[in-house]
């Protein structure tokens, strides 16, 4: 049976390489085995969660990492039946990030409101980090604590090291 091939060669987000893009190609594959070639610095974790679930639902998907892959790209691949990486590819797991913009001058009330906003963003990030760490830990048979340590390091690792970790 022929393999259906498509790629994600960039950022995973709601505007370009997203769940709709992946669903289109999975539907087009019509039950054939799928090879998804990925080189992406990551992007939106919500899109990655949805893509992971689409890959799992399709069933027979191989994700092939062909370059530098980080963040949401690594996480979405866990929905695939198998994951492969080229020897010269790189892999990065890190804690999630939220854009923070503070411009201008703030009075005391506005500072208090901004502090509350930041505290809520921190709690959200911690919940997302835990969700991601649990998924990584399940995949590589490590503890959540070990995986959180790796995510805190936020460093690139070669495919051979990602394999040693069990990713």
């Amino acid at each position: 049976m022929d393999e259906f091939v498509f790629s994600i060669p960039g950022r995973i987000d709601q505007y370009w390489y997203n769940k709709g893009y992946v669903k289109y190609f999975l539907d087009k594959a019509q039950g054939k085995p799928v090879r998804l070639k990925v080189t992406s610095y990551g992007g939106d974790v919500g899109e990655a969660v949805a893509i992971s679930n689409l890959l799992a639902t399709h069933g027979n998907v191989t994700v092939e990492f062909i370059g530098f892959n980080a963040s949401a790209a690594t996480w979405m691949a866990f929905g695939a039946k198998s994951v492969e990486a080229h020897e010269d590819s790189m892999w990065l797991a890190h804690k999630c990030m939220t854009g923070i913009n503070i411009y201008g001058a703030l009075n005391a009330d506005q500072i208090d409101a901004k502090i509350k906003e930041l505290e809520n963003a921190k709690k959200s990030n911690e919940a997302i980090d835990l969700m991601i760490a649990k998924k990584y830990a399940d995949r590589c048979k490590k503890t959540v604590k070990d995986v959180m340590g790796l995510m805190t390091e936020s460093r690139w690792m070669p495919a051979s090291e990602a394999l040693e970790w069990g990713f």
Side-chain angles (χ1 to χ4, degrees):
M1 182 181 273
D2 290 333
E3 192 174 57
F4 185 89
V5 179
F6 72 105
S7 0
I8 293 179
R11 184 171 170 75
I12 296 168
D13 64 25
Q14 62 186 358
Y15 303 108
W16 194 245
Y17 300 108
N18 57 37
K19 61 187 170 279
Y21 172 86
V22 171
K23 184 177 182 326
Y24 170 80
F25 285 106
L26 292 176
D27 289 348
K28 196 172 177 180
Q30 297 181 354
K32 289 181 182 177
V34 170
R35 177 169 295 271
L36 174 53
K37 294 178 177 256
V38 180
T39 182
S40 171
Y41 289 118
D44 185 303
V45 72
E47 289 296 322
V49 169
I51 292 169
S52 180
N53 289 324
L54 287 170
L55 299 180
T57 299
H58 183 81
N60 195 1
V61 177
T62 298
V63 168
E64 179 183 351
F65 287 129
I66 61 172
F68 280 52
N69 292 279
S71 191
T74 66
W75 204 86
M76 66 100 201
F78 294 157
K81 183 177 179 181
S82 64
V83 177
E84 298 174 358
H86 288 225
E87 185 177 350
D88 59 352
S89 67
M90 297 293 282
W91 201 92
L92 170 71
H94 65 85
K95 290 186 170 187
C96 72
M97 293 183 246
T98 299
I100 305 294
N101 296 311
I102 301 174
Y103 294 103
L106 304 176
N107 66 33
D109 295 335
Q110 292 168 322
I111 291 170
D112 282 341
K114 185 55 75 175
I115 288 169
K116 287 178 185 163
E117 179 186 328
L118 292 171
E119 287 171 344
N120 286 337
K122 182 180 182 226
K123 288 177 186 175
S124 293
N125 279 13
E126 289 169 344
I128 293 167
D129 287 339
L130 183 58
M131 176 191 69
I132 291 168
K134 285 180 179 177
K135 188 76 166 187
Y136 281 147
D138 288 347
R139 176 69 179 210
C140 66
K141 310 293 187 244
K142 302 280 188 197
T143 67
V144 170
K145 183 179 177 183
D146 288 341
V147 171
M148 285 293 253
L150 178 67
M151 290 168 61
T152 298
E153 286 182 38
S154 190
R155 65 178 173 80
W156 288 100
M157 63 177 113
S160 59
E161 186 177 352
L163 180 62
E164 289 171 13
W165 265 86
F167 296 121

